[in-house]
Amino acid sequence: MLNYLWGFMILIGIIVAAFTGTMGAVTQTAISSSKEAVQICITLLGVLAFWMGIMKIAEKSGLISGLTNRIRPILRFLFPDIPDGHEAQKYIATNLIANVLGLGWAATPPGLLAMKALQKLNLKKDEASNAMCMFLIVNISSVQLISVNIIAYRSQYGSANPSEVIGPSLLATCVSTVTAIVFGKIMERRRRS
């Protein structure tokens, strides 16, 4: 569906450019934007490779399982329906740790594995469980301490202080995450009654 939407918007843009006589500007902008997109991808590729490597080292060294044990009380509060030691806890913890570090791309694979593991626990296979809903809500709230993506983009575009967004980002993510958890717990209570 999204592909059709993008295709439609591009087609409308080309049609409008043809009727208004700005096809040359559209072509020039498309070429310069493509060049810029490749430059951003190359910059982010380095950042991505570095942080994905750090996450793999953390997993192999036992740091992820150690952090999982430390955040287990939080996991129990957020996901009371998941039994202790279930594989979903490990995947959720890995996802949350990667998100907290601002590594959304590194958080995706364990997030997908967490949803699969949560589906195995789900009694109603055609309906999302409370744990699945809470996991999705926490992920959407964008819990992160360091916004690596934004810092990389700001650095790419020549910001004098790319990391100055850390404070405002931290405040925004705290507010959104607390709001998401409160909403999730209210909805969980409503579903059970």
Side-chain angles (χ1 to χ4, degrees):
M1 180 66 184
L2 200 54
N3 289 338
Y4 293 119
L5 181 62
W6 280 110
F8 176 73
M9 289 191 311
I10 291 169
L11 185 63
I12 291 296
I14 291 171
I15 291 170
V16 169
F19 281 115
T20 59
T22 56
M23 192 60 111
V26 169
T27 304
Q28 188 61 36
T29 302
I31 292 170
S32 66
S33 295
S34 298
K35 179 183 170 189
E36 190 176 328
V38 169
Q39 289 173 337
I40 290 172
C41 286
I42 290 170
T43 300
L44 288 179
L45 184 63
V47 174
L48 171 70
F50 174 75
W51 284 106
M52 295 261 314
I54 294 293
M55 285 301 291
K56 191 51 104 175
I57 290 168
E59 184 180 350
K60 296 278 185 192
S61 70
L63 183 61
I64 298 294
S65 58
L67 288 172
T68 300
N69 289 335
R70 290 186 183 227
I71 66 170
R72 186 159 279 137
I74 296 169
L75 294 177
R76 270 193 222 112
F77 171 72
L78 292 175
F79 310 101
D81 299 335
I82 300 175
D84 270 343
H86 192 272
E87 64 180 341
Q89 280 185 334
K90 176 188 159 202
Y91 296 136
I92 290 170
T94 305
N95 174 273
L96 291 177
I97 291 164
N99 274 323
V100 163
L101 295 174
L103 310 173
W105 51 75
T108 301
L112 294 173
L113 292 171
M115 278 299 205
K116 284 182 182 178
L118 290 172
Q119 182 63 8
K120 289 177 188 173
L121 293 172
N122 192 2
L123 300 176
K124 297 178 182 176
K125 300 297 183 189
D126 60 335
E127 187 177 305
S129 67
N130 287 334
M132 294 168 97
C133 291
M134 180 61 80
F135 182 60
L136 186 62
I137 288 169
V138 169
N139 266 281
I140 290 171
S141 76
S142 185
V143 56
Q144 58 184 309
L145 293 177
I146 305 166
S147 184
V148 175
N149 285 349
I150 300 302
I151 293 170
Y153 291 138
R154 289 174 53 87
S155 177
Q156 173 74 23
Y157 286 109
S159 173
N161 187 2
S163 62
E164 72 184 350
V165 297
I166 291 176
S169 295
L170 187 57
L171 177 64
T173 193
C174 287
V175 169
S176 67
T177 302
V178 168
T179 303
I181 291 170
V182 168
F183 174 79
K185 287 298 183 181
I186 290 170
M187 294 309 290
E188 185 177 303
R189 198 168 286 151
R190 282 178 94 185
R191 283 180 81 176
R192 289 186 183 188
S193 58

